[in-house]
């Protein structure tokens, strides 16, 4: 059987990739936003900065709020104190920036309908609006999940 061959210049490895592991606490979203700004600036990807920072903020907030193992929710722990972490990975390949947020809960995020005057429930709607696409998958060992969002560089505008 012949294995499929990649086209010239195509491979699965990202051109650039950088990760940050954070404690799952209320400081994680701010640190993730700063990391995202720094990395995208260094890579010259300011073209997707605003969308990426918003997506990172929403996904890390969700991971901090909902991405913990059940025994650690509400402050209770079963001998695993201090190991609730969120890993943010940014990668770029061709004209696509990938944002990946991994947490310790195997439960997939649910896009819910927010209450009209509610103060939460809009995060995944914002991710859907800002990203070209997004998905979720379990970690290799099945104890957590990864949420991935993809941003394509905007098409250059044509001057009239």
């Amino acid at each position: 059987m012949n294995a499929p061959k990649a086209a010239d210049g195509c491979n699965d490895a990202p051109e650039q990739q950088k990760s940050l592991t954070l404690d799952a606490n209320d400081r994680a979203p701010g640190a993730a936003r700063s990391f995202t700004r720094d990395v995208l600036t260094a890579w010259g990807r300011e073209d997707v900065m605003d969308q990426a920072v918003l997506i990172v903020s929403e996904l890390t907030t969700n991971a901090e709020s909902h991405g913990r193992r059940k025994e650690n929710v509400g402050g209770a722990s079963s001998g695993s104190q201090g190991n609730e972490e969120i890993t943010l990975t940014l990668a770029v390949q061709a004209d696509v920036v990938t944002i990946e947020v991994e947490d310790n809960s195997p439960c997939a995020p649910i896009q819910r309908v927010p209450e009209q005057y509610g103060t939460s429930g809009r995060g995944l709607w914002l991710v859907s609006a800002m990203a070209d696409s997004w998905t979720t998958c379990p970690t290799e060992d099945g104890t957590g999940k990864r949420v991935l969002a993809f941003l394509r560089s905007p098409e250059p505008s044509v001057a009239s």
Side-chain angles (χ1 to χ4, degrees):
M1 175 185 268
N2 292 334
K5 295 180 182 177
D8 289 338
C10 271
N11 62 34
D12 292 332
E15 296 166 10
Q16 296 174 306
Q17 181 173 315
K18 193 153 176 125
S19 295
L20 174 68
T21 299
L22 302 158
D23 288 333
N25 60 38
D26 60 353
R27 287 181 249 167
R33 288 190 298 269
S34 294
F35 173 79
T36 300
R37 284 186 201 99
D38 292 346
V39 170
L40 293 181
T41 298
W43 291 347
R45 299 309 305 255
E46 291 88 352
D47 57 339
V48 295
M49 181 77 72
D50 292 340
Q51 297 96 317
V53 169
L54 177 63
I55 291 167
V56 163
S57 187
E58 294 301 330
L59 293 181
T60 55
T61 298
N62 281 355
E64 186 270 322
S65 299
H66 307 292
R68 299 179 187 191
R69 287 187 280 282
K70 288 187 191 269
E71 68 267 14
N72 288 341
V73 173
S77 71
S78 57
S80 57
Q81 293 172 324
N83 67 354
E84 292 291 336
E85 296 178 330
I86 300 166
T87 301
L88 167 62
T89 301
L90 301 174
V92 65
Q93 184 173 9
D95 65 342
V96 177
V97 172
T98 301
I99 299 164
E100 177 182 310
V101 176
E102 182 176 319
D103 64 42
N104 296 323
S105 171
C107 300
I110 299 170
Q111 190 169 350
R112 57 188 170 131
V113 177
E115 295 178 22
Q116 182 175 0
Y117 298 107
T119 59
S120 64
R122 292 172 179 78
L124 292 176
W125 289 99
L126 291 170
V127 171
S128 292
M130 294 288 111
D132 289 294
S133 64
W134 72 276
T135 190
T136 185
C137 60
T139 55
E140 282 117 25
D141 64 5
T143 61
K145 70 176 164 303
R146 295 181 302 146
V147 180
L148 297 101
F150 306 95
L151 290 170
R152 187 174 297 275
S153 292
E155 296 289 325
S157 59
V158 178
S160 22

